[in-house]
Amino acid sequence: MSEEHNIPKVYDPASVEKKWYKFWEDNKLFHAEVEEGKKPFSIVIPPPNITGQLHMGHALDNTLQDILIRWHRMMGDNTLWMPGYDHAGLATQIKVEEVLKKEENKTRYDLGREEFLKRVWAWKDQYGDRIINQLKNLGVSCDWDRKRFTLDEGCSRAVREVFCSLYEKGLIYKGTRITNWCVNCNTALSDIEVEHKDDEGYLWYCKYKVMGEEDMYLEFATSRPETIPGDTAIAVNPEDPRYGHLVGKTVWHPLRECEIPIIADSYVDIEFGTGAVKITPAHDPNDYEMGLRQHLDTVVVIGMDGKMTAESGRYEGQDRYEARDNVIKDLTEMGLFLRIENAPHAVGHCQRCGHVIEPLVSTQWFVKMQPLVKAAVDCVEEGHTQFVPERFTKTYLGWMENIRDWCISRQIWWGHRIPVWYCDDCGEVMCSRTDLCKCSKCGSTNIHQDEDALDTWFSSALWTFSTMGWPEKTDLMKQFHPTSVLVTGYDIIFFWVARMIFMTEEFIHEQPFDKVFIHGLVRDSQGRKMSKSLGNGIDPLEVIQQYGADTLRFMLITGNTPGNDMRFYWERVEATRNFANKIWNASRFALMNMEGYDENAEQAPLTLADKWILSRLQHTSQGVTNMLEKFELGEAGRMIYDFIWGEVCDWYIELAKPRLYNKENAAERATAQHVLSTVLVSAMQLLHPYMPFITEEIYQCLPHKDQSIMVSAWPFAKEELMDDEAERLMNAIMDSIKAIRNMRAEVNVPPGKKVPAILLVAADLKAGIEANENYIHLMGAISDLTVLDADAAKPENAMATVVSGVEVYLPLAGLIDVEKENARLSKELATIDKELARVEGKLGNAGFLAKAPEAVIEKEKAKAEELNQKKAAILERLEYLKTL
């Protein structure tokens, strides 16, 4: 191939990536139609929020998905990757409210619901596709023609259908309960939207006067003095001997100026504080449950805005933390405050804004979970959905055991409005799949819809089937559902995975996905979570701009195991960029030497190097395929890396150069060209799911048949090209060359200086090494090579290294430093002794011999024998050096 038809000298990721992504999109190569009879493979993307910007978590998650999608597409499966994004109710509303406040100094209430929602839709139209475009920069191959949105018409219809169906079954109800309330976002939150953080906390010790007892006080401890105005009882454990005589009596509440009872309840921890606790049913979930059991009054003293209510008396209007100080001040003046102690404890914070959660009694909508749990548990326990790694099954099942009813209403406007209407005239409550304009009972048009919106996770829970057209029975559903795998982080197993399973089991009566592939978090080099507060976040778009998407993708995947967190190191980014350059330069060299290549031209027989590299290609392909099937994407990537860099580039291309350069022997040159082309095309196909851009660029320049590498056939291993004997012989030759190079370096032989070498070779390798000694001449810079039987006399005054089946000697008369050679051999002997001790320790371990498979034991025995042979040869050499 002439220079002008070759790839450029320097790899420029930006131009290559832009060109090929446009090519793939223009040619609809990401698009999937239903192909009956073909094996389906499908993934639905975890929908990013429309407020989101690409971060390292997105980059990892979507690269993992893209690798699986591109691989299955090349495997010939009917492959669908369904994209879309989430309306992110609360997060988006907060974002737009911030803009409204900053630019117009208005709140959503100033605009009204209808006008405010117009503003949110306008914001979505302007910024909503930002995350999608950023994902495209990463190279993901979603079927963008099928892009969905959780608030689009189809998904909204599915949400209405699910809500109304659950309501009709009695599985959705409206109830008054204590819920997690964010006073900043002004909405209820479900339990899993609350992050518990260890805060610097305190215990305030106070006392109440026991009525009817002279000078008797009951001491108690609290972490929330601001709720004292709402106390309606003091509780003790019935097993606590200290307080048994007081149960049934009352204490005087000095702030409410009334008597409250002393009750016994087994929930009270005898070891906590004094063993007596104040009970505030309106502001603590445990107290609330106790209040129901004990028929206590519920006094709400903190409002939904975080300020004290009229029922708090003198503290009305104060912020809850201001009231805390004032309550302690007042109790101190009354002589009822005793002391304060440090008591760090976990405090609930809003996942969205970080403010401390206030448990408040409010009327909300809930999903009854117990009737839905069994099918979701059975789905996993019976293996219909399997977690990878399997250990996350326990995490999932543990959460299901302790599940509470799901609070699904949010006091926000942006989202799926609850499809329930109330008649203002007759009080009828109506749940409807379509919007209502009159009462179904009395006919009045004086009706209004519930003000609340659904939790964002409600619509996300339907994602696998709502995106495929349910409740209609579509061809897409029939072919691609259940989906094949869900790729997600372990941090949203509760938020999303569990809810998808129980919703899909309830409505589709099957699992939403066959596998859940769990990955960890991307942390900084010190193992810390990336965050704005630490300032340690790394923008993947900046990495892509500087190094290319392929480099970022490959770096994120390799060196990583399923389910575990990974650390981001710039050194690994550099190393991966070097790998991309290595591929580029090797391919450029190959293309420069493909001039005149004709696959139908006469070819000479395959050389040992040809047979070896073709065999290694098959074993690599087999190993990579096996690892991908096990979701060991990092290990599969390492195998591809080792093959391309360590075998194709470092060895085969170098060994093929003499034939490629020799235009006089056309048949030998044609063979080298054919093998190199075959190996490079297959290597690019193996690497393509990981590094799609550079592999497409190179593939298009090599001899190829398909429109794009991404629709070319996966290079399955061909058993007829597996040649274990060629690999064994080639390994012996390569080990000998490495030994020669190492010994030359030990004594600083100049790279250009050729030296003689003597090999003492095992009988079963001798003929093969003699037939291919030109490899050793070429790669070891050897002038004269002598190949002898293994039992031949050892050369005198020479450096020596023992490799498998070969003793390598360099007669470096005049160059050898006996003292240095002694030190080198002694160091090598120490390494062998250490390894030999490890192996012999295993073989001497009765437990190992009893439990290990026979093949493993035999492998260890063979290793011990080989090490003993190497040791004997080195000891013999050390004895010889004493004579010099």
Side-chain angles (χ1 to χ4, degrees), residues 177-178 227 230-233 256 278-292 295-300 359-361:
R177 221 181 72 177
I178 196 159
T227 64
D231 292 351
T232 56
R256 293 182 61 205
K278 69 183 210 59
I279 304 302
T280 318
H283 297 288
D284 182 276
N286 298 312
D287 290 6
Y288 180 78
E289 296 297 331
M290 194 186 298
L292 294 177
H295 308 291
L296 300 176
D297 292 337
T298 299
V299 180
V300 178
L360 289 180
V361 173

Side-chain angles (χ1 to χ4, degrees), residues 544-588:
I544 290 171
Q545 188 175 10
Q546 189 174 352
Y547 294 93
D550 286 338
T551 292
L552 175 62
R553 288 167 61 113
F554 196 78
M555 185 280 300
L556 285 172
I557 303 306
T558 49
N560 188 22
T561 52
N564 293 329
D565 292 347
M566 66 163 294
R567 295 189 181 191
F568 184 97
Y569 294 101
W570 283 107
E571 295 84 353
R572 291 192 59 234
V573 178
E574 295 278 355
T576 308
R577 193 262 308 274
N578 294 343
F579 177 50
N581 288 338
K582 185 82 170 179
I583 296 166
W584 188 260
N585 293 334
S587 301
R588 192 169 192 280

Side-chain angles (χ1 to χ4, degrees), residues 30-33 80-83 141-147:
F30 302 155
H31 184 62
E33 290 292 344
L80 169 68
W81 188 4
M82 180 75 75
S141 58
C142 293
D143 186 349
W144 297 116
D145 293 340
R146 298 189 184 279
K147 183 176 70 175

